[in-house]
Amino acid sequence: MLTIYSFRHIIPTVLLFLLMLIAPALAEPNFSESIPEDQNIALEQQVNELLSAGEYTKALIAYKISARKFSQDRTLRSRFAELNQVVKYRDSIKQDIADQQWLSCSTFLRSFYYRKALFNDALENDQLAYQKNSSPEYADKLLETMVLLNMDDQAREFNASLEERSLRSKTLALLLIARAGKPTEALSQAQNLITEPEKSPLSVFDLARIAKIAQNKDKWINELIFAFRYLPQEEQPALKQMALFTREFTDVKNEELFQQILLTPTRVEAECTHGCIDCDKCPKKQIIGF
């Protein structure tokens, strides 16, 4: 027969037993390993195909499933965090929000679109942004995307309509002239226009494309390398996609020399160019939980 005295001896033992049962649950989680390389390649292919088809939510789900499975993989979690922000911002720009906040979302999205070579989405984004702000900055962005997508006639018409033209709009206009059959003339004018190349790497990129049309191999190689050297590291992935996509380099983009040029390191340090509304909450700097 159990007495009160015996219960006093049994209770500590029972509590100790229960603690041993729940201790594993209270311990640090046992993170799974990083995603294997073959699975990572397959995942990226799947995500890129979904993004190209406009299926952003499905792409986000694909990342989320893998990020949960391979929770130790910080790179994978970071990709999920970034795409999660993209999906939110794509929804935000459809809402009635302040123009400055809208443009911040738009800038973030454009950076993502360019790094992923989603230039049709970038075009729609740039057209809407220009409607919000018709400054030379946003005019240049829209003109740049039009030229990338070979919308030459529309780009010429748009460029001619601009009341205020920047250096970039002028070098893009000269690229259009080169495409129209006057590369030597365009090359000469572009070289005279770019007086401070270190401050104008994207115009130097235009110069490289003009030189390629003019069949000046040494010139386009040197100018393309220069463009990469003086563009902040944060912007280099976008330039790489532009170089791979633009029609001027189609015939050389698979050559070893060209691939080496794409790896040219920058000589400048970048500030935050993510277009963040609040950089402290930028998905580049935090890992969003699940």
Side-chain angles (χ1 to χ4, degrees), residues 3 43 52 154:
T3 64
L43 174 63
S52 296
Q154 298 95 316

Side-chain angles (χ1 to χ4, degrees), residues 45-161:
Q45 182 178 353
Q46 178 191 12
V47 167
N48 289 335
E49 288 176 355
L50 288 169
L51 292 176
S52 296
E55 299 287 356
Y56 282 74
T57 301
K58 290 182 179 179
L60 181 63
I61 292 172
Y63 267 152
K64 186 172 184 177
I65 292 172
S66 293
R68 279 179 168 174
K69 182 177 180 181
F70 301 102
S71 53
Q72 194 178 22
D73 195 318
R74 293 182 61 84
T75 299
L76 184 55
R77 288 168 61 85
S78 179
R79 289 173 188 162
F80 167 80
E82 180 182 47
L83 187 53
N84 185 56
Q85 199 73 11
V86 166
V87 171
K88 288 180 179 179
Y89 281 5
R90 280 171 61 86
D91 181 63
S92 294
I93 64 174
K94 297 175 184 177
Q95 311 302 319
D96 184 17
I97 58 177
D99 284 356
Q100 189 55 50
Q101 185 181 11
W102 192 99
L103 290 170
S104 294
C105 292
S106 172
T107 299
F108 181 92
L109 289 173
R110 188 182 195 273
S111 174
F112 178 83
Y113 293 150
Y114 261 66
R115 285 184 285 108
K116 290 290 188 179
L118 299 167
F119 296 119
N120 286 312
D121 287 340
L123 176 65
E124 181 180 3
N125 181 77
D126 290 346
Q127 289 170 331
L128 293 172
Y130 185 71
Q131 292 175 15
K132 293 277 186 181
N133 187 329
S134 58
S135 68
E137 175 187 358
Y138 289 95
D140 289 352
K141 290 179 178 180
L142 177 53
L143 185 60
E144 175 181 63
T145 307
M146 284 180 169
V147 172
L148 266 179
L149 292 172
N150 299 319
M151 301 169 60
D152 291 8
D153 291 340
Q154 298 95 316
R156 289 189 190 92
E157 183 179 349
F158 175 68
N159 189 54
S161 72

Side-chain angles (χ1 to χ4, degrees), residues 4-70:
I4 294 177
Y5 177 79
S6 57
F7 269 116
R8 289 176 180 174
H9 287 77
I10 293 173
I11 289 175
T13 303
V14 172
L15 290 175
L16 179 60
F17 177 73
L18 292 174
L19 182 60
M20 291 174 64
L21 289 177
I22 66 173
L26 298 175
E28 289 294 321
N30 182 24
F31 288 123
S32 56
E33 62 184 9
S34 298
I35 185 170
E37 182 62 24
D38 59 335
Q39 293 186 42
N40 182 54
I41 293 173
L43 174 63
E44 287 304 301
Q45 182 178 353
Q46 178 191 12
V47 167
N48 289 335
E49 288 176 355
L50 288 169
L51 292 176
S52 296
E55 299 287 356
Y56 282 74
T57 301
K58 290 182 179 179
L60 181 63
I61 292 172
Y63 267 152
K64 186 172 184 177
I65 292 172
S66 293
R68 279 179 168 174
K69 182 177 180 181
F70 301 102

Side-chain angles (χ1 to χ4, degrees), residues 179-210:
R179 287 182 174 183
K182 298 180 179 180
T184 303
E185 176 185 336
L187 183 60
S188 176
Q189 291 186 41
Q191 290 179 119
N192 292 332
L193 271 178
I194 304 173
T195 57
E196 296 181 291
E198 295 88 351
K199 298 180 180 180
S200 314
L202 290 177
S203 285
V204 174
F205 173 62
D206 298 335
L207 179 58
R209 291 192 280 181
I210 295 170

